[in-house]
Amino acid sequence: MLLQVKYPEEYPEEPPVLDLLPTPNAPVHPYFSVAADKEELLNGLSETIEENIGMAMVFTLVSTLKENAEQLIAQRQEAKEKEHEQKILAIEAEENKKFHGEPVTRESFMKWREGFQKEMEEIKVREEAEEEAAEKKKNKGKESVIALTGRQLWERGMAGKVEEDEDYDDVPIEAMRPSEARKRVGGFPKPTVHIEYNYVNGECHKSFYYLSLQQRFIR
């Protein structure tokens, strides 16, 4: 940017005639144009001219013109940056809308919970039906007893249940556990004799042992 100055005969009692010209072959500035900003910059020198009437003022006018031009560029640059920031914030706000769903209330939670439990029950029934169908297919359509897993027993409330009344009437005492045998005979029964035959150097040796019911189980 060039400042053209014409001095009248009464200068400095009269202000100089000023004009702004673009610098030849100067690159285009993104925030400044001599043709567009000339009027605003020249009007900005009026106050400085009035303050310096009667004195040499060209140097002061050049300094003021330079400051006004730099301030104008800075304002436009700042406005551009703010505009860019606003665009970024708008994009972020639009993206954040994806993560803001419906606020959770007691009613909405209970509705979701009911639907979730229903869905889980349907999945459970479907899986059991698929397992049963697969087992029948494996056994070529014959009915079969499906062994339940520990988890299935627990879910159906069958875990830990055993028959309390076990019938040992047809079981020999020798095949019972000691505790059950004692219940049958009302205590420890009389000891029984155990005979062993050992052959040593061609001779037969007979040995007798008295074994209680408890010892027989240990053996």
Side-chain angles (χ1 to χ4, degrees):
M1 178 180 65
L2 300 175
L3 176 62
Q4 185 181 61
V5 181
K6 293 182 179 180
Y7 297 97
E9 294 181 0
E10 290 80 10
Y11 177 82
E13 298 300 329
E14 291 185 7
V17 179
L18 305 176
D19 193 13
L20 291 177
L21 304 175
T23 303
N25 302 322
V28 178
H29 198 284
Y31 303 110
F32 181 77
S33 172
V34 174
D37 300 324
K38 178 171 67 172
E39 183 177 356
E40 181 178 353
L41 292 174
L42 291 177
N43 291 335
L45 297 176
S46 299
E47 184 177 353
T48 304
I49 292 173
E50 292 178 0
E51 292 175 352
N52 290 275
I53 287 293
M55 298 181 294
M57 64 180 76
V58 174
F59 179 79
T60 304
L61 293 176
V62 171
S63 299
T64 303
L65 179 64
K66 180 176 179 296
E67 291 177 1
N68 291 344
E70 290 176 349
Q71 185 177 3
L72 185 63
I73 292 173
Q75 290 175 351
R76 290 174 178 174
Q77 187 174 5
E78 183 179 356
K80 188 68 175 180
E81 291 176 354
K82 287 184 178 180
E83 181 182 357
H84 180 66
E85 290 177 359
Q86 291 296 329
K87 289 182 179 179
I88 293 177
L89 292 176
I91 293 173
E92 291 179 353
E94 191 66 25
E95 289 293 327
N96 289 335
K97 288 181 180 179
K98 300 177 182 179
F99 304 100
H100 292 282
E102 180 182 354
V104 178
T105 62
R106 176 178 175 81
E107 290 74 16
S108 62
F109 173 76
M110 295 302 295
K111 183 178 180 181
W112 170 85
R113 183 171 179 268
E114 181 180 354
F116 177 76
Q117 291 178 340
K118 182 178 179 181
E119 182 181 355
M120 291 297 100
E121 186 65 25
E122 292 175 354
I123 293 175
K124 178 182 176 182
V125 172
R126 184 169 63 252
E127 289 179 350
E128 291 178 354
E130 291 175 355
E131 290 179 2
E132 184 177 355
E135 189 67 22
K136 287 183 178 180
K137 183 178 180 181
K138 181 179 178 182
N139 294 296
K140 298 181 180 180
K142 297 180 180 179
E143 293 292 335
S144 60
V145 178
I146 301 176
L148 299 178
T149 63
R151 179 178 178 181
Q152 291 173 330
L153 289 172
W154 181 82
E155 290 176 347
R156 300 183 184 186
M158 301 171 63
K161 292 185 178 181
V162 297
E163 296 182 1
E164 297 181 356
D165 298 329
E166 296 182 351
D167 188 6
Y168 291 98
D169 293 341
D170 298 332
V171 180
I173 292 179
E174 289 78 2
M176 294 182 181
R177 294 191 296 271
S179 59
E180 298 299 335
R182 288 198 298 273
K183 291 180 182 179
R184 172 74 70 83
V185 300
F188 285 105
K190 295 180 180 180
T192 58
V193 178
H194 176 71
I195 303 174
E196 290 185 359
Y197 295 90
N198 298 313
Y199 289 88
V200 180
N201 297 326
E203 296 181 359
C204 179
H205 297 270
K206 183 187 298 184
S207 301
F208 297 89
Y209 299 93
Y210 289 94
L211 298 177
S212 66
L213 179 62
Q214 187 176 17
Q215 289 174 323
R216 277 185 286 166
F217 279 110
I218 295 175
R219 290 173 62 86

